[in-house]
């Protein structure tokens, strides 16, 4: 169909095969109608289309440098608008990295000696520490081996071939300052028994050592799992003096704390708001991180793009490395980001068309080429 006059254009990529082969879709943001599909996501292809449409005044895009360069070359007269969704998602990634670096401080301080046994007849604290998870041990060994070869001057590809590791795994291990940065998610991995540990330990210390009976008791409390998981958890207390420690409150996970920081204070549950408040009192760096995030949220929802320069300067001067890196990346695409925080344009219509395109791809079972996909996207109602 005839494209007609397009003043506000939306552009985004989609995957033919994720991580390998991509295409680009162009959307008329006034009518939400798809205009064109082409293979690849190179800036020059976008620039060629824009040269044929000099009437374009605004280009809504993500933070891809290729699309940014293509828009600059093909439509220098147009304003580029960075999508707010991707800005918020990128900020969330920086927040999660920062919280992960502070994960050792996320646990609530112990209540004190009042809740612990005391006196000569008290039970010992614990017979033996639990064994480290096999996946954690393996990650520590891989991290040490990768860094030893990296220090010797080997390339990442050569390290991957020598150790039999995927390139993405090697990149992750090389980029991690310590093994703890790599194993954090494994250490915080939730287990199905975790919510019932306190009850199990109390009953164990009361002398009930039958795993089948304990499993039936916690099933009445809502435990959805089976007996084997309970047996595995209690196995560590069947040697030594057999005492199970009194379980304290479960520390918040990195993902939970990130969610609290990224959520509007009025939308937080009272319990989560209280835990975040106590965490901010214990950790000044997470307190400053929360302040930065809330200032950015106010700037984004209130369309105060004029505050962006000051926000970036404050974030860069702080000691929070992931946030400072995010701020420096904003400066590289400053005009588009400022427009995204100031103008009413959004890439929501583009994302909606991407979802529709994915549905058509599934209907075609991945067996049809770009020509048929383009016709279905552009012509189907």
């Amino acid at each position: 169909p005839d494209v007609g006059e397009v003043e506000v254009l939306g552009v985004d990529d989609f995957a033919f095969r994720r991580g390998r082969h991509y295409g680009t879709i162009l959307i008329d943001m006034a009518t939400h109608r798809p205009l064109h599909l082409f293979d690849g996501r190179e800036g020059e292809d976008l620039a060629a289309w824009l040269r044929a449409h000099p009437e374009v005044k605004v280009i809504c895009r993500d933070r891809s440098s290729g699309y940014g360069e293509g828009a600059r070359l093909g439509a220098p007269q147009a304003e580029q608008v960075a999508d707010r969704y991707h800005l918020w998602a990128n900020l969330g990634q920086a927040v999660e990295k920062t919280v992960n670096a502070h994960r050792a401080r996320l646990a609530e301080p112990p209540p004190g000696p009042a809740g612990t046994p005391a006196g000569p007849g008290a039970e010992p604290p614990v017979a033996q520490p639990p064994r480290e998870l096999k996946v954690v041990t393996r990650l520590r060994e891989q991290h040490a081996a990768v860094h030893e070869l990296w220090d010797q001057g080997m390339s990442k590809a050569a390290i991957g071939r020598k150790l039999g590791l995927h390139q993405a795994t090697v990149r992750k291990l090389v980029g991690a300052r310590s093994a703890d940065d790599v194993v954090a998610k494994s250490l915080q991995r939730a287990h199905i028994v975790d919510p019932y540990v306190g009850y199990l330990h109390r009953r164990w210390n009361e002398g009930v050592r039958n795993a089948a009976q304990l499993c039936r008791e916690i099933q009445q409390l809502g435990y959805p799992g089976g007996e084997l998981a309970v047996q595995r958890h209690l196995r560590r207390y069947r040697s030594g003096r057999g005492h199970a420690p009194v379980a304290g409150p479960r520390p918040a996970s990195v993902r939970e704390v990130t969610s609290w920081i990224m959520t509007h204070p009025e939308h937080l549950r009272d319990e989560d708001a209280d835990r975040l408040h106590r965490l901010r009192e214990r950790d000044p760096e997470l307190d400053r991180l929360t302040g930065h995030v809330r200032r950015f949220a106010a700037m984004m929802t209130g369309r105060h793009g004029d505050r962006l320069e000051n926000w970036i300067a404050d974030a860069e001067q702080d000691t929070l490395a992931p946030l400072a890196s995010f701020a420096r990346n904003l400066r590289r695409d400053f005009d588009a980001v400022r427009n995204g925080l100031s103008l009413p344009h959004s890439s929501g219509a583009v994302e909606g068309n991407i979802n529709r395109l994915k549905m058509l791809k599934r209907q075609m079972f991945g067996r049809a080429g770009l020509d048929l996909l383009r016709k279905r996207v552009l012509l189907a109602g």
Side-chain angles (χ1 to χ4, degrees):
D2 180 43
V3 172
E5 297 286 323
V6 181
E7 292 191 358
V8 183
L9 178 72
V11 55
D12 202 356
D13 60 1
F14 64 92
F16 289 106
R17 292 189 67 187
R18 184 175 295 276
R20 298 192 178 186
H21 185 194
Y22 287 85
T24 297
I25 184 171
L26 304 181
I27 306 294
D28 183 347
M29 302 301 287
T31 62
H32 297 181
R33 180 171 60 93
L35 302 174
H36 185 50
L37 268 74
F38 58 83
D39 194 10
R41 47 181 179 180
E42 301 299 326
E44 183 53 41
D45 294 327
L46 174 62
W49 191 93
L50 288 170
R51 292 188 188 103
H53 296 272
E55 74 278 4
V56 175
K57 298 180 180 178
V58 177
I59 301 173
C60 300
R61 60 172 179 83
D62 60 16
R63 297 181 60 206
S64 167
S65 58
Y67 290 146
E69 182 65 12
R72 186 185 66 82
L73 295 175
Q77 78 285 354
E79 287 190 299
Q80 299 185 40
V81 179
D83 180 35
R84 287 184 290 276
Y85 166 79
H86 289 94
L87 291 174
W88 189 248
N90 295 150
L91 176 61
Q93 293 168 358
V95 170
E96 185 169 1
K97 290 178 181 178
T98 306
V99 175
N100 184 55
H102 293 73
R103 62 188 177 278
R105 313 178 196 176
L106 302 184
E108 296 274 356
T116 59
E123 294 283 355
V126 64
Q128 57 186 3
R131 294 179 180 177
E132 187 174 70
L133 296 174
K134 292 182 179 179
V135 63
V136 173
T137 303
R138 183 171 67 250
L139 286 172
R140 293 189 189 280
E141 294 173 351
Q142 290 175 347
H143 181 270
V146 166
H147 274 266
E148 180 180 357
L149 296 176
W150 179 255
D151 293 339
Q152 294 175 7
M154 291 184 63
S155 67
K156 296 176 183 177
I159 294 174
R161 289 192 298 269
K162 183 176 180 63
L163 299 180
L165 299 176
H166 192 274
Q167 290 183 4
T169 303
V170 175
R171 287 197 300 269
K172 178 178 69 174
L173 293 172
V174 169
R177 293 172 298 178
S178 66
D180 289 338
D181 293 338
V182 183
V183 304
K185 290 186 178 180
S186 297
L187 291 173
Q188 290 207 344
R189 187 175 296 163
H191 193 276
I192 194 171
V193 180
D194 287 351
Y196 309 94
V197 164
Y199 180 87
L200 289 174
H201 288 192
R202 180 171 61 82
R203 295 288 288 150
W204 179 272
N205 293 333
E206 290 174 356
V208 181
R209 306 296 169 90
N210 187 294
Q213 178 182 341
L214 291 172
C215 180
R216 289 193 295 269
E217 291 182 12
I218 63 175
Q219 282 176 340
Q220 295 178 356
L221 301 177
Y223 171 63
E227 180 184 338
L228 182 60
V230 178
Q231 290 178 351
R232 287 174 174 171
H233 176 79
L234 296 176
R235 188 177 299 161
R236 70 194 72 176
Y237 306 118
R238 293 191 182 278
S239 58
R241 286 181 261 184
H243 177 71
V246 177
R250 182 182 68 88
S253 69
V254 171
R255 188 63 59 86
E256 285 177 326
V257 175
T258 302
S259 175
W260 299 342
I261 294 175
M262 298 293 292
T263 300
H264 193 288
E266 295 180 0
H267 299 159
L268 278 174
R269 297 185 307 167
D270 291 342
E271 177 186 356
D272 295 339
D274 290 341
R275 295 181 69 181
L276 177 59
H277 177 72
R278 293 195 296 270
L279 180 60
R280 294 179 67 181
E281 288 182 334
R282 296 197 306 270
D283 194 324
E285 291 191 343
L286 291 184
D287 180 47
R288 296 200 309 274
L289 175 67
T290 305
H292 287 302
V293 170
R294 291 182 176 177
R295 284 176 55 204
F296 191 92
M299 178 171 55
M300 184 177 70
T301 56
R303 304 290 189 273
H304 299 299
D306 55 301
R307 304 177 185 175
L308 180 62
E309 176 61 41
N310 291 335
W311 188 91
I312 292 177
D314 292 343
E316 287 178 329
Q317 293 172 6
D318 209 321
T319 58
L320 307 171
L323 190 70
S325 176
F326 168 75
R328 285 191 295 271
N329 285 330
L330 293 184
R331 197 179 290 283
R332 296 173 186 170
D333 200 18
F334 184 85
D335 291 338
V337 173
R338 182 181 57 193
N339 289 336
L341 298 176
S342 305
L343 302 177
H345 302 291
S346 169
S347 295
V350 182
E351 300 298 336
N353 275 278
I354 292 289
N355 286 337
R356 175 171 169 268
L357 185 150
K358 290 178 180 178
M359 178 197 68
L360 295 175
K361 280 177 50 189
R362 294 188 185 100
Q363 289 178 345
M364 294 158 60
F365 295 99
R367 293 187 172 91
L370 177 62
D371 290 340
L372 179 56
L373 180 62
R374 180 189 293 115
K375 290 180 180 179
R376 294 201 66 185
V377 171
L378 300 185
L379 300 179

